[in-house]
Amino acid sequence: MNGGDEVVTAPAGPPQPLDWKFSQVFGERTAGEEVQEVDIISAIEFDKTGDHLATGDRGGRVVLFERTDTKDHDALRRDLERTDHPINRHPEFRYKTEFQSHEPEFDYLKSLEIEEKINKIRWCQTANRALFLLSTNDKTIKFWKVQEKKVKKISEMNLDPPKAVGNGCVASSSNSNSPTLCLANGGSSGNDFSFPPGGLPSLRLPVVTSQETNLVARCRRVYAHAHDYHINSISNNSDGETFISADDLRINLWNLEISNQSFNIVDVKPANMEDLTEVITSAEFHPTHCYMLAYSSSKGSIRLIDLRQSALCDSHAKLFEEPEAPGSRSFFTEIIASISDIKFAKDGRYMLSRDYMTLKLWDINMDSGPVSTFQVHEYLRPKLCDLYENDSIFDKFECCLSGDGLRVATGSYSNLFRIFGCAPGSTEATTLEASKNPMRRQVQTPSRPSRSLSSITRVVRRGAETSGVDANGNSFDFTTKLLHLAWHPTENSIACAAANSLYMYYA
């Protein structure tokens, strides 16, 4: 209290853990149903508005969904806003359309089969009520335009249906065997038709009407023959004109309007391939600075580069890596340190990275180490030998951040995914299962002392309390893995892929 007028309020604590609920599922499997390889989802992406969602699968198809609850409740929303009533909306999406983005190909020069599997999807800026997106497989990037087209049909004809008019020539009916010769003045020499005395009373042109609309996907451009190795990332620039594509050794910069030329901005290929020590695993543009991008490596480092410094950005502006703890090195150290995905927060201040065991949150202004580390499945550390033998240790899990930057999420095995709070003082660490009952496999995490994001001298480590089995005592299934998920850009809603099924949750 100051002079009896001002009330000093205590600083707000960390946000409460969210209560996640099942929303929808698309492509749900029945018990015992076998999943076809081509139907397994391999990419998920919300657009910037959150009103559209795209998925890609191993069969080269892209499926689009659109949100319906915002359209249906516009009037209700206005009424509730007038009365200052909280809006509790249940997010709902519906199937919009699908199209075949990529087909299987064969590189005859290198004798290699090129899979049709969609590796990444990125939404582009909309224009004239049309949707634009980029999709890529291992070698080829395509730019798609999806819009409604009116279906035009002929509703009125000049003659009866059995007869046709073409260029002033009247043809015989289809069941006549006698040939019909068209004369230059529009007459006919056929025996089955004769002009009435005085000619035709009138000539009516066919009337074309638009009775319905269809969604049509059209490939506008194909960006090909620019990568010798498999493309692992594509990312749009905030300028709306350019994008990058990255493979194991190079990052190329493209203009959306030019498909036959790209600029190589990063090249880590050594003169002698025997000297190769690391590869590029993921790359992403900064959300607001069009000259800045980050890429991660198989050694667990992230490099921030500035396109204003030079045309070829082999030298980085900043390097983010965590020093290795002394005495902790083993055969698996480098394998599990490899970063499979990086994402910028919406404001561009923080970066999120996912390696095999952990999620790390980085401040781009602090390259001494991550500000927070979240243990995703620490219980797997004793089983690294088994995971190496069955190749699971090379699985590439994606990660995502909430639109407000307060939470992060990533997938695990047994179709589980984990959500962590990263706000100062938060101890939120939730485990959910991709099913209609997401809390079924909930693992309770004991509360920990609050630690602030701003405390740069200590690194937060949470989530390591999970045992080697789930809450029910069942062993984890390494064949069912949740690799792909996406967070709605403005709301607490998550879409995740479990094999061929798309699950959606809200809080």
Side-chain angles (χ1 to χ4, degrees):
M1 191 78 70
N2 186 7
D5 295 328
E6 292 186 20
V7 177
V8 179
T9 57
Q16 292 296 313
L18 296 177
D19 180 22
W20 290 93
K21 300 180 181 66
F22 169 78
S23 174
Q24 288 174 282
V25 59
F26 296 94
E28 185 182 18
R29 301 190 307 276
T30 58
E33 181 183 352
E34 186 177 349
V35 179
Q36 299 296 319
E37 178 82 9
V38 294
D39 294 332
I40 295 176
I41 296 172
S42 56
I44 301 179
E45 186 79 4
F46 281 104
D47 71 348
K48 283 187 177 181
T49 65
D51 290 337
H52 293 92
L53 174 69
T55 66
D57 63 26
R58 293 189 184 180
R61 291 167 303 211
V62 171
V63 183
L64 304 184
F65 302 88
E66 66 176 349
R67 190 164 181 177
T68 58
D69 59 297
T70 52
K71 297 177 181 179
D72 298 340
H73 292 78
D74 277 347
L76 177 61
R77 180 191 181 102
R78 286 192 294 270
D79 293 340
L80 292 173
E81 284 176 345
R82 289 193 197 101
T83 58
D84 290 331
H85 195 279
I87 302 170
N88 296 317
R89 194 170 56 227
H90 180 77
E92 288 183 3
F93 282 78
R94 70 179 177 193
Y95 169 86
K96 186 178 180 76
T97 188
E98 68 180 84
F99 55 91
Q100 188 71 32
S101 174
H102 288 73
E103 301 280 358
E105 300 174 53
F106 190 82
D107 188 334
Y108 292 97
L109 291 177
K110 298 180 180 178
S111 297
L112 288 175
E113 288 186 6
I114 303 172
E115 284 185 318
E116 65 269 37
K117 170 177 166 268
I118 305 296
N119 289 343
K120 295 288 179 182
I121 296 173
R122 290 292 180 266
W123 289 91
C124 302
Q125 292 181 355
T126 59
N128 299 326
R129 300 185 66 183
L131 303 174
F132 295 89
L133 49 88
L134 290 165
S135 63
T136 184
N137 65 351
D138 286 338
K139 294 290 184 181
T140 306
I141 307 160
K142 295 186 179 182
F143 183 48
W144 291 91
K145 178 181 182 180
V146 182
Q147 67 177 154
E148 288 187 345
K149 288 279 190 182
K150 292 183 177 179
V151 180
K152 296 180 179 180
K153 295 182 179 179
I154 297 175
S155 61
E156 293 183 27
M157 294 289 288
N158 193 48
L159 296 175
D160 294 333
K163 309 222 173 158
V165 175
N167 235 355
C169 162
V170 182
S172 64
S173 60
S174 58
N175 58 3
S176 171
N177 295 323
S178 59
T180 301
L181 179 63
C182 296
L183 304 179
N185 62 359
S188 172
S189 64
N191 298 323
D192 60 341
F193 180 85
S194 60
F195 279 98
L200 289 170
S202 65
L203 180 64
R204 294 197 315 273
L205 291 175
V207 177
V208 178
T209 58
S210 300
Q211 295 179 333
E212 58 185 38
T213 58
N214 275 356
L215 276 168
V216 177
R218 188 163 65 90
C219 184
R220 295 285 303 274
R221 286 176 192 85
V222 177
Y223 313 91
H225 312 302
H227 288 278
D228 291 330
Y229 305 94
H230 289 177
I231 298 172
N232 54 48
S233 304
I234 51 174
S235 178
N236 305 81
N237 198 345
S238 58
D239 63 10
E241 296 179 359
T242 56
F243 70 94
I244 55 170
S245 59
D247 64 20
D248 292 340
L249 299 180
R250 293 187 177 95
I251 299 177
N252 292 332
L253 177 68
W254 302 82
N255 188 300
L256 280 167
E257 301 296 323
I258 304 170
S259 60
N260 59 357
Q261 185 182 38
S262 66
F263 296 96
N264 178 227
I265 57 175
V266 175
D267 189 346
V268 300
K269 184 178 181 180
N272 184 355
M273 285 295 282
E274 291 181 0
D275 299 331
L276 183 67
T277 58
E278 62 181 331
V279 295
I280 298 168
T281 56
S282 182
E284 181 159 292
F285 260 119
H286 191 278
T288 56
H289 299 327
C290 61
Y291 52 83
M292 190 179 294
L293 62 100
Y295 70 91
S296 59
S297 83
S298 56
K299 278 195 167 181
S301 61
I302 302 173
R303 289 171 173 84
L304 198 66
I305 61 177
D306 190 334
L307 297 174
R308 299 172 298 180
Q309 291 182 349
S310 65
L312 187 61
C313 303
D314 287 340
S315 59
H316 51 266
K318 283 188 179 181
L319 174 66
F320 303 88
E321 58 184 356
E322 187 171 25
E324 188 179 311
S328 64
R329 189 166 185 83
S330 71
F331 172 77
F332 304 109
T333 300
E334 279 198 15
I335 299 176
I336 63 174
S338 177
I339 294 175
S340 56
D341 192 24
I342 58 171
K343 292 284 194 326
F344 275 102
K346 197 173 184 180
D347 60 2
R349 171 72 185 272
Y350 295 97
M351 289 185 297
L352 182 67
S353 67
R354 169 70 203 263
D355 57 43
Y356 189 68
M357 301 296 289
T358 65
L359 271 176
K360 291 186 175 78
L361 191 68
W362 308 79
D363 186 335
I364 65 170
N365 298 325
M366 189 185 86
D367 54 7
S368 59
V371 292
S372 298
T373 299
F374 309 98
Q375 306 293 339
V376 178
H377 39 216
E378 186 64 22
Y379 52 83
L380 294 181
R381 199 170 289 277
K383 303 176 183 177
L384 290 178
C385 275
D386 298 334
L387 294 163
Y388 179 77
E389 288 178 1
N390 63 21
D391 285 343
S392 294
I393 201 170
F394 301 106
D395 287 335
K396 299 184 185 305
F397 292 94
E398 293 180 1
C399 59
C400 58
L401 297 98
S402 61
D404 55 16
L406 297 178
R407 293 172 180 85
V408 296
T410 190
S412 182
Y413 294 101
S414 298
N415 284 340
L416 300 179
F417 62 102
R418 308 212 63 192
I419 299 170
F420 301 97
C422 56
S426 175
T427 57
E428 182 177 356
T430 307
T431 303
L432 302 169
E433 182 185 37
S435 67
K436 288 187 174 181
N437 182 12
M439 307 300 285
R440 183 173 63 182
R441 301 283 281 273
Q442 175 68 33
V443 178
Q444 293 299 325
T445 306
S447 60
R448 305 282 298 276
S450 298
R451 296 176 184 174
S452 172
L453 253 183
S454 59
S455 174
I456 62 174
T457 57
R458 303 177 72 184
V459 172
V460 183
R461 293 183 177 272
R462 290 209 311 281
E465 297 82 0
T466 313
S467 62
V469 294
D470 66 18
N472 300 321
N474 301 319
S475 60
F476 283 88
D477 180 7
F478 300 124
T479 61
T480 56
K481 56 196 81 170
L482 199 150
L483 302 176
H484 311 286
L485 75 172
W487 202 303
H488 192 281
T490 58
E491 298 182 15
N492 286 319
S493 177
I494 289 180
C496 56
N500 67 327
S501 302
L502 176 66
Y503 287 91
M504 307 195 72
Y505 302 93
Y506 72 100

